[in-house]
Amino acid sequence: MKKLFFSAILGGLTLASCSSDDDVTPENTELEIPATYNFEREGASTVSYSGQTTRLQMTSEILSKFRDFENGSEDLLLNMFANENAPFENASLNESSKSVKSKVAASKLYFSANTVESAEIKSDFDSYITEQFTAVKNNRNELAEAGMAGQIAQGTSVRYINAKGLEMNQAFAKGLIGGLLADQILNNYLSQAVLDEADNRENNDAGVVEEGKVYTTMEHKWDEAYGYLYGDPSIPAQDPNSVLNDNNDALLFKYMGSVDGDSDFEGIAEETFEAFKTGRAAIVAGDYQTRDEQVEIIRENISTLIAVRAIYYLQAGKNQLSDEQYGAAFHSLSEGYGFIYSLQFTHNPETGAPYISAGNVEDYLEQLMNGNGFWEVTPETLDSISEEIAAPFEFTVADV
């Protein structure tokens, strides 16, 4: 990466903590950073993020039905999104009180005082489902053309697009990377407003655990952030990067592997994992300065990941359009559309706000959908949006 907040610490080594006015850790205390994400109290694991795993499993089943016009329906997917009326094939998900929709645009930092915007964002995801199972489904056997939904070939594969060339399943999935995962990780569970809420610090310093549990509230909040990135059942809980490019995750962790595979961003996956481990160890030690330094690393890295993939897909789509590979181009641009949507949930540690504002995101999406959308978007528009996305980050379009 062009700029790293953090020099990776080899697992198993110790890190001397720094003192500050807010840091109650005695001077010279050292952090015990495990080689894997393994933390225990009296021989029992204190790591727990089952709720995040449940929501990732729900999302996986929703996405599996998005292109299934025979077995899927608008009502089914809307019920799955909200977890209503026992919609899941996995019966354990139906028994859960959790849902994907309830955590979309629901962070304490960005949406606790902005419930109207939160409701509008949730409605966007509902609309992707509705359009998929109305306009797109009704025309699924017709060849798509400008102004008309239908199917379009990508090699031997078939893509289903709306009248502007957008794949609704891609808008939904890539939009959730920001609207659910990044928002909950960066702007909710890793925020001081959540980590230090009420008497969390005092209880954490005193080792007071939640009733019937073996973890403190602060430890658990940190783990819940960890779970949104690493909680898919196909990812080893303690050593996720061992399967960085060999797992079934369809959301954030998948693209962590993609970005890490680019030589300009190599190391971002390990750095992020080390920051999660170090921050958790700092909580155990009561070293809140080090904890908050790790939060900044995670916020920058995950935000960077989203921006890199947004630009990557815009540029891929531009090149495919020039070669008249319309199915491939519309697929790439649809993924880019979803990642652009996710940019409004990023978090710049220096400003405490998104790297790209919701207003700018709306403007970029309007430019992409102007007129007949992807059917007539210009290379100049794709380049302009790409450059604007890269501007607040420490990389260029050429790096992507």
Side-chain angles (χ1 to χ4, degrees), residues 134-320:
T134 54
V136 176
K137 179 178 180 178
N138 292 342
N139 255 34
R140 68 189 184 281
N141 295 321
E142 304 295 329
L143 292 179
E145 58 184 58
M148 187 177 80
Q151 61 174 261
I152 189 169
Q154 180 185 354
T156 59
S157 300
V158 174
R159 302 289 179 185
Y160 298 96
I161 58 178
N162 74 356
K164 293 180 181 287
L166 178 64
E167 286 183 86
M168 311 315 299
N169 61 316
Q170 294 302 328
F172 185 94
K174 276 54 179 185
L176 275 186
I177 288 176
L180 174 64
L181 278 69
D183 190 48
Q184 285 293 300
I185 296 170
L186 311 183
N187 310 317
N188 195 60
Y189 288 117
L190 295 188
S191 69
Q192 288 188 350
V194 170
L195 290 173
D196 294 339
E197 187 174 15
D199 54 0
N200 285 359
R201 276 205 186 196
E202 291 81 355
N203 287 341
N204 190 68
D205 290 335
V208 177
V209 299
E210 293 188 0
E211 185 175 357
K213 306 296 183 181
V214 295
Y215 48 71
T216 69
T217 297
M218 189 186 295
E219 289 170 342
H220 186 50
K221 297 305 180 186
W222 187 274
D223 291 341
E224 289 183 294
Y226 181 89
Y228 272 116
L229 177 54
Y230 301 110
D232 185 273
S234 66
I235 302 170
Q238 296 182 349
D239 189 15
N241 288 339
S242 64
V243 295
L244 194 59
N245 295 297
D246 184 24
N247 63 89
N248 294 324
D249 180 77
L251 297 173
L252 189 56
F253 186 71
K254 171 183 178 179
Y255 292 99
M256 180 69 77
S258 299
V259 173
D260 191 77
D262 183 329
S263 60
D264 287 296
F265 305 96
E266 186 178 2
I268 191 173
E270 185 62 23
E271 184 184 54
T272 303
F273 181 50
E274 290 293 337
F276 267 109
K277 287 194 302 172
T278 302
R280 183 61 156 78
I283 290 173
V284 173
D287 181 354
Y288 305 116
Q289 177 177 318
T290 298
R291 179 201 70 178
D292 292 344
E293 289 168 354
Q294 309 317 304
V295 171
E296 291 194 0
I297 295 165
I298 295 165
R299 282 173 167 165
E300 184 190 26
N301 284 359
I302 290 179
S303 298
T304 296
L305 182 161
I306 292 170
V308 166
R309 295 311 286 183
I311 295 169
Y312 173 87
Y313 284 118
L314 292 182
Q315 292 299 304
K318 182 187 75 170
N319 295 333
Q320 290 156 345

Side-chain angles (χ1 to χ4, degrees), residues 122-138:
K122 288 178 170 65
S123 180
D124 286 341
F125 287 92
D126 285 339
S127 73
Y128 300 148
I129 292 172
T130 296
E131 186 163 4
Q132 177 78 347
F133 287 95
T134 54
V136 176
K137 179 178 180 178
N138 292 342

Side-chain angles (χ1 to χ4, degrees), residues 22 24 45 120 235 251 383:
D22 297 323
V24 299
S45 174
E120 290 174 349
I235 302 170
L251 297 173
D383 282 339

Side-chain angles (χ1 to χ4, degrees), residues 65-73 76 133 137 140-141:
K65 288 288 188 290
F66 229 106
R67 282 165 45 95
D68 187 350
F69 294 123
E70 298 304 317
N71 300 305
S73 69
L76 176 63
F133 287 95
K137 179 178 180 178
R140 68 189 184 281
N141 295 321

Side-chain angles (χ1 to χ4, degrees), residues 327-396:
F330 290 179
H331 180 60
S332 293
L333 293 175
S334 295
E335 294 192 89
Y337 181 103
F339 274 107
I340 290 172
Y341 192 94
S342 286
L343 287 168
Q344 64 190 298
F345 306 100
T346 58
H347 190 118
N348 186 336
E350 295 182 4
T351 66
Y355 280 88
I356 306 293
S357 70
N360 283 341
V361 165
E362 183 178 4
D363 177 59
Y364 300 153
L365 298 181
E366 286 178 353
Q367 290 183 54
L368 293 177
M369 294 289 98
N370 187 45
N372 283 317
F374 297 157
W375 292 98
E376 54 191 34
V377 70
T378 66
E380 292 76 17
T381 294
L382 298 175
D383 282 339
S384 174
I385 295 173
S386 296
E387 294 289 349
E388 289 190 32
I389 292 171
F393 291 90
E394 296 294 327
F395 65 85
T396 67

